[in-house]
Amino acid sequence: MKLVPCPVNGLRPLQEFHFGGEVRDMPDGEAVSDAEWADYVFHRRGEGAVKREWWYHVPSGVWFIAERDNRTDEFVRSYLYEENGDG
Amino acid sequence: MPHRLLKFALSPDYPESRMFRAPPRLGDRYDVVIIGGGGHGLAAAYYLARDYGITNVAVLEKDYIGAGGTGRNTAIVRSNYLTPEGAAFYQTSLELFQDLSRDLDYNLFYSERGHFTLAHSPASLRTQRWRAEVNKHLGIDSRVVTPDFIKECVPELDLSCGGHQAPIYGALYHPPGAIARHDAVAWAYARGADERGVEIHQNVSVTDIDVRDGQVVGVQTDQGYIATNKVLSAVAGWTTSITEMVDLRTPLVIYPLQALVSEPLKPFLNHIVVSASLHLYVSQSTRGELVGGASLDPYELISMRSTLDFAEGLAGHMLDLFPCWSQVNVVRQWGGLCDMTPDFSPIMGTTPIEGFYIDAGWGTWGFKATPVSGLTMAHTVATDADHPLIRPFHLQRFSNFQLVGEKGAASVGH
Ligand SMILES: Cc1cc2nc3c(=O)[nH]c(=O)nc-3n(C[C@H](O)[C@H](O)[C@H](O)COP(=O)(O)OP(=O)(O)OC[C@H]3O[C@@H](n4cnc5c(N)ncnc54)[C@H](O)[C@@H]3O)c2cc1C
């Protein structure tokens, strides 16, 4: 069974989680062109890499960020958004 | 019956030759380089040679022919899609498939089964009625049927789902729904292309694409450099590694999809049965195996590993529908890569890079599109203009907000 490291609840089974996609910065919709906005809405970085991703622990209602290699499925580390990976 | 088979049976000396040559080495220059020896790349090579006389073509496959989604899918062919663009495209493919064994002179075991999408609630029955009306309007054989009709066609099916799941209220029925032998599709296109002069190179990996002033001038491979002005990327689940080479932004993200087969049983299941609520689809192959699949894995991953979670989940749902299968053994399970788009439609055609053509976004639904993709991409590469059938699927649609939403018809993986 795949285990996911939650910064609050520790290692928990995958079935308790919801995957939220790569962490991306939203541009200011008023300031960017239509093309830049469309790029933000639709385009993704689909290639293999260690990425910062949103994950949600459903039973406890915790959204957090995990760094995971999407080629090997190894979690490098996870932390709450406020901690920003430095804590 | 294909004539070849008859000739072979009557001949005393079994004159079967290899399906395609193994060219000794890569050439220095080709008119067209096709990346990916799956069904799509091979079909494009075949139609380029057959319809446009372009034969100085190399298909480069990093592994073996059919190593990707082509040899891993559950082989379902259907056309009951929702949008006029999608329906016209898949209907053309289905019609090509119906005649493909004869066209390629190779038995593809194309077998029309009839395709049921079960409704487990009055609400989903309403959606199916809507889908049937849209399908009929687009000239596709599709209708809503009653539980009695389903029971008559598939007597083993427990319409009450044993009380474990919501019962079955009816189904969307698509009589032309079919299965085919997927490897044979790749081999037959490979042979047809090879006979017309196309070179098929297995174990050659493209490592970079050489673009100068916005125009393709060559590709780098692990076996040396090739000069060319036209490159077709037909690598489905590997597309993001290719678009990265040419700095092309796309919406594609890669998810695994898994499948399994049972031990062979005597033929009893004539139809293809799909339940979106139970994330399940199943048919019986011509060899007698039950072939089953589920929905996508729940998160992005570029890996073809298969999991126990998947096999357990799918087996459980199979037993909700078919309790009489409780003693049947699973003999094999596997995974494949799916290049998913946000609207569940493919990405096809020309790109902002001159000479770089893309055939991607095949997600969980690309096997059925193999013939029509080959045909339309050959046209696009040969004439440098997008074939009318694929214009709606241009990468540009994500910049001008013209999506082709097929999620309702494509979301359970097949
Ligand atoms: C489990 C599963 C079930 C499915 N069921 C169905 C179904 O029932 N019906 C349906 O219509 N679709 C189904 N699909 C989807 C379908 O399998 C794919 O969309 C389709 O096979 C894609 O074909 P292709 O020829 O484009 O790519 P592929 O067959 O994946 O071929 C791409 C090839 O490119 C090669 N390649 C990659 N990178 C390079 C490189 N750098 N250099 C050289 N070669 C490279 C790969 O080795 C691979 O052989 C399913 C998929 C899966 C995984």
Side-chain angles (χ1 to χ4, degrees), chain B residues 30 64 151 257 283 321 327 382 409:
Chain B
Y30 295 95
Y64 57 91
K151 190 77 189 167
L257 180 70
S283 66
L321 290 179
Q327 301 302 310

mmCIF file of all heavy atoms in Angstrom, chain B residues 30 64 151 257 283 321 327 382 409:
data_model
loop_
_atom_site.group_PDB
_atom_site.id
_atom_site.type_symbol
_atom_site.label_atom_id
_atom_site.label_comp_id
_atom_site.label_asym_id
_atom_site.label_seq_id
_atom_site.Cartn_x
_atom_site.Cartn_y
_atom_site.Cartn_z
ATOM 1 N N TYR B 30 16.332 11.795 -43.881
ATOM 2 C CA TYR B 30 15.011 11.293 -44.298
ATOM 3 C C TYR B 30 14.092 12.477 -44.585
ATOM 4 O O TYR B 30 14.271 13.559 -44.012
ATOM 5 C CB TYR B 30 14.379 10.433 -43.190
ATOM 6 C CG TYR B 30 15.138 9.157 -42.897
ATOM 7 C CD1 TYR B 30 16.085 9.111 -41.872
ATOM 8 C CD2 TYR B 30 14.932 8.005 -43.654
ATOM 9 C CE1 TYR B 30 16.784 7.957 -41.597
ATOM 10 C CE2 TYR B 30 15.636 6.840 -43.387
ATOM 11 C CZ TYR B 30 16.561 6.818 -42.359
ATOM 12 O OH TYR B 30 17.261 5.668 -42.104
ATOM 13 N N TYR B 64 10.458 -1.674 -28.502
ATOM 14 C CA TYR B 64 10.024 -2.527 -29.606
ATOM 15 C C TYR B 64 8.653 -2.029 -30.078
ATOM 16 O O TYR B 64 7.963 -1.307 -29.346
ATOM 17 C CB TYR B 64 9.947 -3.999 -29.166
ATOM 18 C CG TYR B 64 9.034 -4.232 -27.981
ATOM 19 C CD1 TYR B 64 7.689 -4.529 -28.156
ATOM 20 C CD2 TYR B 64 9.506 -4.132 -26.662
ATOM 21 C CE1 TYR B 64 6.845 -4.722 -27.064
ATOM 22 C CE2 TYR B 64 8.671 -4.317 -25.569
ATOM 23 C CZ TYR B 64 7.346 -4.613 -25.785
ATOM 24 O OH TYR B 64 6.509 -4.781 -24.717
ATOM 25 N N LYS B 151 -30.294 -7.820 -19.382
ATOM 26 C CA LYS B 151 -30.297 -9.165 -18.795
ATOM 27 C C LYS B 151 -30.339 -10.243 -19.884
ATOM 28 O O LYS B 151 -29.700 -11.291 -19.763
ATOM 29 C CB LYS B 151 -31.511 -9.287 -17.866
ATOM 30 C CG LYS B 151 -31.518 -10.524 -17.007
ATOM 31 C CD LYS B 151 -30.555 -10.380 -15.833
ATOM 32 C CE LYS B 151 -30.407 -11.714 -15.105
ATOM 33 N NZ LYS B 151 -29.279 -11.714 -14.172
ATOM 34 N N LEU B 257 -2.641 4.288 -16.274
ATOM 35 C CA LEU B 257 -3.908 3.563 -16.327
ATOM 36 C C LEU B 257 -3.548 2.087 -16.293
ATOM 37 O O LEU B 257 -2.583 1.670 -16.923
ATOM 38 C CB LEU B 257 -4.669 3.895 -17.613
ATOM 39 C CG LEU B 257 -6.018 3.203 -17.801
ATOM 40 C CD1 LEU B 257 -7.044 3.741 -16.811
ATOM 41 C CD2 LEU B 257 -6.555 3.407 -19.228
ATOM 42 N N SER B 283 -14.470 -6.973 -21.018
ATOM 43 C CA SER B 283 -14.925 -7.713 -22.197
ATOM 44 C C SER B 283 -14.180 -9.038 -22.181
ATOM 45 O O SER B 283 -13.266 -9.234 -21.377
ATOM 46 C CB SER B 283 -14.589 -6.942 -23.474
ATOM 47 O OG SER B 283 -13.186 -6.880 -23.638
ATOM 48 N N LEU B 321 -20.873 -6.852 -10.001
ATOM 49 C CA LEU B 321 -21.680 -7.045 -11.213
ATOM 50 C C LEU B 321 -21.824 -8.517 -11.586
ATOM 51 O O LEU B 321 -22.861 -8.955 -12.066
ATOM 52 C CB LEU B 321 -21.040 -6.314 -12.398
ATOM 53 C CG LEU B 321 -21.073 -4.792 -12.397
ATOM 54 C CD1 LEU B 321 -20.363 -4.253 -13.632
ATOM 55 C CD2 LEU B 321 -22.499 -4.274 -12.355
ATOM 56 N N GLN B 327 -14.514 -17.406 -8.492
ATOM 57 C CA GLN B 327 -13.422 -18.387 -8.500
ATOM 58 C C GLN B 327 -12.440 -18.174 -9.656
ATOM 59 O O GLN B 327 -11.516 -18.963 -9.849
ATOM 60 C CB GLN B 327 -13.994 -19.820 -8.600
ATOM 61 C CG GLN B 327 -14.933 -20.192 -7.463
ATOM 62 C CD GLN B 327 -14.241 -20.056 -6.111
ATOM 63 O OE1 GLN B 327 -13.157 -20.562 -5.911
ATOM 64 N NE2 GLN B 327 -14.882 -19.336 -5.193
ATOM 65 N N ALA B 382 2.209 15.611 -44.974
ATOM 66 C CA ALA B 382 2.505 15.664 -46.415
ATOM 67 C C ALA B 382 2.185 17.029 -47.003
ATOM 68 O O ALA B 382 2.944 17.551 -47.820
ATOM 69 C CB ALA B 382 1.722 14.577 -47.151
ATOM 70 N N ALA B 409 -18.007 11.497 -22.211
ATOM 71 C CA ALA B 409 -18.014 10.284 -23.017
ATOM 72 C C ALA B 409 -16.722 9.503 -22.893
ATOM 73 O O ALA B 409 -16.634 8.361 -23.319
ATOM 74 C CB ALA B 409 -18.262 10.636 -24.479
#
